[in-house]
Amino acid sequence: MELTRRNLGKLAVATGATAAVGTGVGTVMGRSASAEATWRATGTAVPALSGFDNQMKAFMQARGISAGQLAVTYKGRLVLARGYSTSTALTVQPTSLFRVASLTKSFTAAAIVKLVQDGKLSLSTPVGNIIDITPATGLTRDSRWSTITLWKLLQHLGGWDRDVSGDPLAKDAVISRTLGVPMELQHADVIKYMAGQKLDFNPGTKVAYSNFGYLLAGRVIEKVSGLSYATYVQQKLLTPLKIKRMAQGYTIAKHTGETSYESQYTARTVLDMSGKTVAAPYGSFSMRLHDANGGWIASAPDLVRWAKMFDAPSSVLNSTSLSRFWSKPSTGVNPDGWYYGLGWQVRPVTGGTGRNTWHTGSLPGTFTIVVRTYNGMSWAALFNRRDDASGKSYGDIDAALWTAANSVKTWPTNDFFPTYFA
């Protein structure tokens, strides 16, 4: 099946807006009879947490997913780290690397907040005051750009609605034709194109998930820090946490230890002007363009290590900075009971005294989720596909992992963090 660029844009990055996400409501996954003989798990089995293994197995086998990974923490301890595969051709370790897609946004938001903490930025500054927003010759910039602050970028209030005008991160061919530039596009090409387009709504009046807003945030980080986006994140955020495996992913090549990606779809490449048909995970989108909104690769233990940072102030982010992540947008809590903070989705729970926070990620060949709960649990699950012939939802993994967590009778006392983060 060929995935058209229009459909790819609709699927490009999940918003995590399914009703069950962050509620703590569980479900029991149906189990397929397929691939039982090829099921393999790596990492240390923890009998008290076997429910997590069972849910991952059922989820992956029902969808024909060949590679998966899970990490679970409890009260700040890494209690489970596992790799799973349903193929004899793949061995997935707990430290194997996966594209994390939109889980990237929490890293980008944190980089902006770190610059604010260090006195180099203000979240109230319009993005156009920091980086060049110049439209192509003959086009005029919408005057409302002057009101698009960093707050609005990070909370998806910037004025772009992909359901109205499409996602510019899925318009490579259109931008190429419009500007007369070759593919693979550069960030500057996307910005120049968007600078000449009318905004879809008045900034600050509506939440609409925007990959482009985070692309812009990445350029702000580079302009203010004087470093590349990836270098800044690695030096200021990851290194202090001893997270050493994470890297910016490649569209075609693989990093050492990175899994392969699968999809039932093909599409035309955006990496050059050849128009050739490629497997959707390998050229239907540009990992280079997605750097700050979806470009990181990581392991599940890396992601829960990252999630732990938000539990308490540290040398990386102080208490004032942490509070900014959970600030409500100007539009308030949505009718489903959650809102988008800075790089995290937030659901107030227990009468407003606690919160569940989470994010999902989705690209061709990738589905991911990370969850932090109000009562000291967190988990990250990564998969090497997001679509298959079964038609089953991939968002169902949220409820499945809540089911596993709620079934734990006694949480173990082990901690694998020293094993994976020396």
Side-chain angles (χ1 to χ4, degrees), residues 251-289:
T251 308
I252 301 296
K254 288 171 56 177
H255 288 260
T256 301
E258 185 179 1
T259 190
S260 56
Y261 306 99
E262 299 173 357
S263 172
Q264 63 182 320
Y265 298 113
T266 60
R268 289 180 179 156
T269 185
V270 301
L271 303 183
D272 55 42
M273 305 298 288
S274 67
K276 67 181 178 182
T277 297
V278 296
Y282 295 107
S284 68
F285 62 96
S286 164
M287 286 289 286
R288 183 171 70 190
L289 283 187

Side-chain angles (χ1 to χ4, degrees), residues 220-265:
V220 169
I221 293 162
E222 293 180 330
K223 179 69 173 182
V224 175
S225 72
L227 300 172
S228 72
Y229 164 75
T231 298
Y232 183 83
V233 171
Q234 287 168 329
Q235 288 186 1
K236 301 298 184 179
L237 301 176
L238 302 183
T239 297
L241 300 175
K242 298 182 179 179
I243 299 174
K244 302 174 183 177
R245 285 174 289 268
M246 286 184 60
Q248 283 283 294
Y250 304 130
T251 308
I252 301 296
K254 288 171 56 177
H255 288 260
T256 301
E258 185 179 1
T259 190
S260 56
Y261 306 99
E262 299 173 357
S263 172
Q264 63 182 320
Y265 298 113

